[in-house]
Each structure stands twice: as C-alpha cells, then as structure tokens.
Amino acid sequence: MNVPDDLRYSSDHEWARADGSRVRIGITDYAQDALGDIVFVDLPALGSDCAVGGTIGEVESTKSVSEVFAPVGGTVAAVNGALTDAPELMNEDPYGQGWLCEIEVAEDGALDALLDAAAYRQLTES
Amino acid sequence: MTSETDAKQIADAAPRPAAGGRAASAPLLGRATEPTIFELSQPGRRSVQLLTTGVPEWPVDELVPVEHRRDVPVRLAEVSERDLVGHFTRLSHRQFSVDLGAYPLGSCTMKYNPKICDAVAVLPGLAAVHPGAPASLTQGWLSLLVELEEVLCAITGMAAATLQPAAGAAGELTGLLLMRAFHAANGEQRHRVIIPDSAHGTNPASVTLGGYEVTTVPSDERGCVDMGALREVLDTDVAGIMLTNPNTLGLFEEEIAEIAAAVHEVGGLLYYDGANLNAILGVVRPGDMGFDIVHMNLHKTFATPHGGGGPGAGPVAVSERLVDFLPGPRPVRRLGGVSEGNTFSPSEFAWVEPSRSIGRVHSWHGNALVLARALTYILVHGSDGLQRVAERAVLNANWLRVRLAGVFDVPFDRPCMHEVVLSASTLRKEHSVKALDVAKRLLEEGFHSPTVYFPLIVDEALMIEPTETESLQTLEALADALEAIVVEARSGDQSAWAAPRTTPVSRIDEARAARTLVATFDARR
C-alpha cells in the first residue's frame, strides 16, 4: 500500500498536501483499493465552505457510494474537473492526477491535527 | 448394443441435463436488440376493439370541460395485439426470473411463488370487486383482510396490524410515524433512532424521512449488536431502535432480550425489520422478543411476487399500546354482527377508524390482491408448514456455508440462519477476481447472482440466500458452479473479468444509468 511520507492523512482515508494557504486533498491508495473501480465522483462546488469532517464530495464505485470528508476546513478554491470524465484517475493515480479539490484554509497549522505517514500506515495495517 | 456394460458406457458418456434449478441454456434470441414499443408503432393499428355497449355517445365537451383536457392527445404506441404480445414475450425471455431458476439474492428471499396464490387472486369474486363498494357488499373481502391480519399477528406475536403499507420501505416509514405518534401522545419529543451498522440501507433512509436522526451502533466480533456500545448511546432522547433479527449477516441476535430491556428502560420502542422473517417463521416470534412494531415483507416471507418493484405489501403489526395509532380505516371483526342503518343485513365485518390514527398510508385497502395471495400461501402451508419453511431455509443456507467454506472466506464461521455471508477477499488479493466478477460469471452458469458488497461491514461480501424452495440438487449445482469459478480464477484464467458473455447485455454502466436516468422514449430521442 502506497503511503507517501510527505503527505498528511485523516482517519477517514483522505490525504492532504499544503502549498502555502492552499491544501490539496484526495483519497488514499488504501481508500481507492477498498472502494474498487470508481465510476463517478461528485465534486464540491467552487467557493463553497467546508468544516473539518464535513462532507465534501461523494465517490461512487461499483460496490458502493461513499462520502468524502474534508480533512481541513476552509473554502473550496479549486476542483479537479478531470474526474468528471475520468473518475478512474482516482484509482490509477490517487495522489497525483486523481486529486479531488483544493481548500483555502483560514488558519495556519490546519494540517497539524492530521496523521503523519507512519501513523496512517499503522492505522491501515491494524 | 452388444451388452449391458456397453449400454452403461453409452449412458455415462451421453451429455446429462443440467442438474438442479439452473437456467443454463442461452436465451433464444442471443444478443439481438429489441425495439421499444414506440418503434413498433404504426398509425391506426389497434390491439382492442370497443364493443357496442348500448351506452349513447355524448359530446366530449359536455363530459369533460375543455380546461381539464390535454391540449394534445397523449402519444401512445399503436400496435396490434400480436405485436404487443410478441414484444413483451421477447423481453420476458431476456429476463432472469424466479420461475426460471435459482435466485439466491441475499436478504431478498426470492423464493418460488406458488401458482395457487395467483389462481386465487384472479377469482372474479376477489378481482372484480370495486374497492369503493360498501362493507355490506364486501363481507368476503373484509373477512379475508381480517383473517390475514389475525394470522400475521399470530405469527409475529403482536396485537394488531395494518395491511395498508405498499412494501417494506413503506412499512418502515409507517412504523416510524407510529413511533413518533406514540411519543407525542406521551408528551415527549425524542430525536434519535438507533440502527446497527449491519442494517439495510432503507433503515437510515426511513429514519430520516420520519424526521429522526440516525445513531449507528457497531457490531461486535461475533457479528451482533455490541451491547456495550448500545448502552453508551441509550438515553431518553432515543425514540427507538430498528433491528433485523436474524441480522443482515444471517446471524441471530442472541442478546435480543437484553437489548429489548435496555431500550425499554429509557422509554424507547423496538422496531423489527421483517426482511429476514423467513428464518424464524413458526419458531420464535418478534413480539416474544420484546418488539413493539414489526413490518413484514409479504413479497419475501409469504411468497407474493416481487414484481417489477411492485405492487408489494408491507403490513405493520404492533403491540397493544400502539393499536390506537394504526393507519385507518381498519377492517375489524364484529362478533355477533351489528346492524348498520339501512344496509341489507347485519355485518360481521366493518371498517373502523382507530381513535388516534396516524391516517392513511395507502389509498383504499392497500394492494389487496397481494394480500389475498399471502393469505393463500399461509393457509396452504398451515402453522406446521410455515415452521418447516423456516427450518429448511436455515438448513439450506447452512448446507451452503459448510459446502463453500474452503472455496470462499467465511467471515463469521458459526451456524447461520436463512442466509450465509461469504467473502471473496482472498480471491481478490491473490487472483484479482472480485466478488462482482464472481457474481457476473455465475450468470453464465444459469444462476442469478447472489447479493454482493452487502452488508457493508464485510469486505468483498457475497450474500447467499437459497430459501427453502431450492432442492438439494439445485444447491449442489449452485455450489459446484461457484467452486468451478474459483478454481478457474486460481488457475490464472481471468474469464470472470469479461463475464457475463452469454446474456443479452453484458456489463452496463450502472453509475451512469442511475445518475443520468432516461426513463422515457421521448427523452431518449
């Protein structure tokens, strides 16, 4: 299971990568593997606000429909429109082309509450 | 033929008909597409001729005012009876049905529907009665409804029932509205309903529609409600708990008496989701377990047709303290007969509105001909027969559990009830063949697929419910087919990825079909 060391993780299997005040998020390799073939992604609306742990999107696989929870709070500043036509990018490249959206966070240190790679790896292996 | 030995050899070598209830032969018409009924339409062609009735013709303007009429005539397909029958018969040949072969769809109880029930439902004395006819002229129908209510209450151990709800989900909503009315009558406003994480998806949906919030309790390692976790979420804000017993893992909730006591302790009600009632018929009753509200899926347990999504029936039975809240009007038995004003004779049966009724949940008397089928099924079996239904449903599921133990993973390896939950987790990890692939591949073998990916708490779940109606030969054939699929995958053959290859359509885009639904021919164009 691929768990890059430079990302932070939520216990709900989302990853987060900070770039200044913007945080790019997606679902982890573990999550995409558990979901199976992803066939539809419901993206959040640009400019919408989200709270930590709030629903920020929906991922439908051949098995089930699952909600994606915001690992950080803020305003949605960008969404990955490529997922509309190619939801399978979430399976193929969960940490790269399969990203979900970017959130403009209000406060510094929004990632501090999230798990580091070692802690997330431990979570998925337990 | 030279000797008996030769004859035996020839007999052994001859292809044998497929054993058991499988539908192994390919559809007659292969993958030829069937046009829609509109594409078969020819202007002026008709399937019916109106007879001369003697009723005089009348100008339509005088019958229906122009403001209540359509501006343009509705566009209907114009076809002959012959083309009409051909069209729908061809479509039916493309369907897998419970009349065609084994349909082990877990949690759905797709048992064979005995034809005698249909024979009763088409009797003119039942089918030709207008639902608006007065009680004095429909004593037969009322007695049928009352008798069905009485036997359903005897089976579930409850005090009274409404026969109105149209199906399981309608029954669930009715039950939650009863729960709400009960608490309101006690001057209480409660906000939460507890649901186990193994519950059917309809449960949280019904709770939300009923105006409550869902609180989920986890299952323990034995697959049952975690009593410790349940006690933590119980307080006087809890309106009730919805339970399926046996639960969706096919396991009996052994601590049901403790659960009932704990929920009643805080003033909550127990709702029994009757989806799995088939497992306990005539053996144990929800009322005796402490349940207050029970819904039954007549199209599951009592073998009425599942149909194309309906019509179904989902009666709701309640304990004594909830009877006054039931939907009305209710058919009731009046012992001794009571005169009803100017009617022809004293009526033994009548319609009565419960004193604190939540109101109607269905027009007229519910899906009445479905109710007639269910009563027929119950009377044909009798109480001893219904008990055998449950015993054999459980026996069949356990036979499959033991037979398939080395083929799939068995997440909860203990005696199950009417269905068994297996997992294709190892198969997927080692050979990249998923539960979905197994399900699709099984269609090629002439069986309907089991339920997959439910319950959600089991990875790569395959949920098999054979029901009591399948023979041992069919179970053997089903198990052999499943084992052959796994052996094939283990040998490196990935045919399952492309399955089904023998059905009229293969893997369709289910997500797009659901997300961008096109339900009319006009929209398709």
Side-chain angles (χ1 to χ4, degrees):
Chain A
M1 207 63 61
N2 183 12
V3 183
D5 287 330
D6 60 334
L7 301 179
R8 301 299 286 264
Y9 301 88
S10 75
S11 55
D12 295 317
H13 309 291
E14 288 89 21
W15 57 262
R17 177 191 286 127
D19 182 10
S21 63
R22 273 203 185 188
V23 176
R24 177 173 280 202
I25 68 172
I27 66 168
T28 64
D29 189 33
Y30 177 87
Q32 71 79 21
D33 184 64
L35 287 169
D37 297 339
I38 292 168
V39 291
F40 181 84
V41 179
D42 193 17
L43 297 165
L46 262 183
S48 59
D49 292 330
C50 60
V52 179
T55 305
I56 199 170
E58 216 171 69
V59 177
E60 181 170 347
S61 74
T62 48
K63 296 180 189 178
S64 64
V65 180
S66 306
E67 293 178 323
V68 182
F69 303 103
V72 295
T75 306
V76 177
V79 296
N80 183 7
L83 294 177
T84 305
D85 289 329
E88 63 275 13
L89 289 173
M90 271 194 162
N91 290 118
E92 293 162 3
D93 190 10
Y95 300 111
Q97 292 182 69
W99 63 282
L100 180 76
C101 66
E102 289 180 356
I103 295 173
E104 189 78 30
V105 291
E107 296 162 27
D108 291 345
L111 298 192
D112 294 351
L114 296 174
L115 305 171
D116 61 19
Y120 181 68
R121 210 172 281 130
Q122 198 176 4
L123 178 82
T124 58
E125 284 163 9
S126 65
Chain B
M1 214 159 284
T2 54
S3 70
E4 281 185 18
T5 315
D6 286 349
K8 186 174 181 312
Q9 279 171 353
I10 291 166
D12 286 348
R16 288 165 185 277
R22 66 164 76 188
S25 59
L28 185 63
L29 301 168
R31 291 197 167 179
T33 56
E34 175 66 21
T36 66
I37 192 80
F38 292 100
E39 288 165 306
L40 295 173
S41 181
Q42 293 293 327
R45 203 165 275 176
R46 291 287 181 273
S47 295
V48 291
Q49 292 178 29
L50 291 180
L51 302 173
T52 306
T53 60
V55 178
E57 287 200 16
W58 211 261
V60 72
D61 284 349
E62 291 179 30
L63 290 170
V64 185
V66 70
E67 65 267 28
H68 293 310
R69 299 214 310 265
R70 298 173 59 96
D71 295 329
V72 274
V74 63
R75 203 167 61 80
L76 299 173
E78 299 174 88
V79 292
S80 66
E81 178 179 325
R82 196 268 163 278
D83 289 346
L84 182 75
V85 170
H87 172 69
F88 286 109
T89 304
R90 287 192 296 274
L91 284 179
S92 74
H93 282 212
R94 287 167 164 71
Q95 289 291 335
F96 195 97
S97 81
V98 77
D99 276 356
L100 202 57
Y103 208 129
L105 195 62
S107 214
C108 292
T109 315
M110 301 297 290
K111 63 171 75 175
Y112 170 74
N113 303 161
K115 297 306 167 207
I116 188 175
C117 302
D118 293 334
V120 168
V122 298
L123 290 174
L126 292 176
V129 175
H130 192 283
S136 57
L137 296 179
T138 53
Q139 287 291 295
W141 250 119
L142 266 75
S143 72
L144 185 156
L145 296 176
V146 167
E147 188 171 352
L148 178 62
E149 180 187 337
E150 287 170 352
V151 293
L152 292 178
C153 287
I155 288 166
T156 53
M158 307 304 282
T162 173
L163 305 176
Q164 284 185 20
E172 287 183 31
L173 180 61
T174 303
L176 284 153
L177 295 177
L178 288 167
M179 202 180 271
R180 171 171 288 279
F182 171 79
H183 290 303
N186 290 335
E188 287 192 305
Q189 191 173 12
R190 296 178 176 228
H191 297 96
R192 298 189 293 125
V193 172
I194 296 173
I195 295 178
D197 61 2
S198 62
H200 294 111
T202 46
N203 288 179
S206 299
V207 166
T208 305
L209 201 57
Y212 287 112
E213 288 165 25
V214 176
T215 299
T216 306
V217 287
S219 305
D220 61 20
E221 70 282 352
R222 281 175 53 75
C224 293
V225 170
D226 184 329
M227 270 311 287
L230 175 63
R231 289 189 199 282
E232 275 177 33
V233 297
L234 277 177
D235 58 37
T236 54
D237 194 40
V238 171
I241 184 170
M242 294 182 87
L243 279 180
T244 309
N245 194 16
N247 64 26
T248 63
L249 295 163
L251 303 175
F252 192 80
E253 293 282 354
E254 290 160 347
E255 293 186 295
I256 184 60
E258 289 80 4
I259 293 171
V263 173
H264 285 152
E265 176 87 4
V266 297
L269 296 175
L270 271 83
Y271 180 99
Y272 182 88
D273 179 324
N276 295 343
L277 185 65
N278 208 51
I280 61 167
L281 274 182
V283 179
V284 60
R285 307 190 303 173
D288 299 334
M289 297 180 211
F291 283 94
D292 302 283
I293 305 170
V294 177
H295 97 249
M296 288 151 272
N297 302 87
L298 299 188
H299 49 279
K300 295 184 182 183
T301 318
F302 301 105
T304 65
H306 277 64
V316 174
V318 295
S319 56
E320 197 65 51
R321 55 184 174 158
L322 287 158
V323 174
D324 290 344
F325 300 100
L326 283 172
R330 290 181 57 215
V332 295
R333 183 193 296 273
R334 285 181 170 167
L335 293 174
V338 174
S339 176
E340 283 191 329
N342 297 327
T343 53
F344 301 112
S345 62
S347 297
E348 195 188 353
F349 299 94
W351 293 103
V352 169
E353 189 72 19
S355 60
R356 292 187 284 185
S357 175
I358 61 166
R360 277 191 173 281
V361 297
H362 196 289
S363 57
W364 299 113
H365 319 317
N367 289 327
L369 291 170
V370 176
L371 303 174
R373 285 180 172 88
L375 181 60
T376 307
Y377 178 85
I378 290 168
L379 295 179
V380 163
H381 282 78
S383 57
D384 55 335
L386 292 178
Q387 186 178 337
R388 281 201 302 277
V389 163
E391 289 168 356
R392 289 180 187 178
V394 171
L395 182 63
N396 280 358
N398 278 287
W399 188 91
L400 282 172
R401 177 179 62 82
V402 173
R403 168 67 178 80
L404 292 170
V407 180
F408 294 100
D409 308 318
V410 185
F412 299 97
D413 196 8
R414 63 181 174 103
C416 60
M417 297 293 287
H418 64 304
E419 59 195 354
V420 57
V421 178
L422 305 170
S423 167
S425 192
T426 303
L427 190 67
R428 182 188 169 214
K429 283 198 191 89
E430 294 177 359
H431 303 286
S432 300
V433 171
K434 302 177 299 232
L436 182 73
D437 301 321
V438 173
K440 298 289 188 190
R441 180 73 180 78
L442 189 63
L443 294 171
E444 297 179 345
E445 300 299 321
F447 294 101
H448 194 280
S449 304
T451 295
V452 291
Y453 302 114
F454 185 83
L456 299 173
I457 54 176
V458 173
D459 184 43
E460 294 293 324
L462 287 154
M463 187 195 212
I464 305 177
E465 181 180 4
T467 85
E468 74 284 358
T469 56
E470 298 308 337
S471 66
L472 178 61
Q473 289 68 39
T474 297
L475 298 186
E476 284 171 344
L478 172 63
D480 289 348
L482 282 165
E483 184 171 42
I485 291 168
V486 171
V487 168
E488 173 187 272
R490 284 180 186 155
S491 75
D493 183 339
Q494 286 154 343
S495 300
W497 291 358
R501 294 158 294 189
T502 55
T503 47
V505 293
S506 188
R507 298 205 185 189
I508 59 169
D509 188 342
E510 292 165 21
R512 196 160 71 94
R515 297 276 178 179
T516 54
L517 184 65
V518 177
T520 67
F521 179 65
D522 284 342
R524 200 184 75 161
R525 286 193 304 179

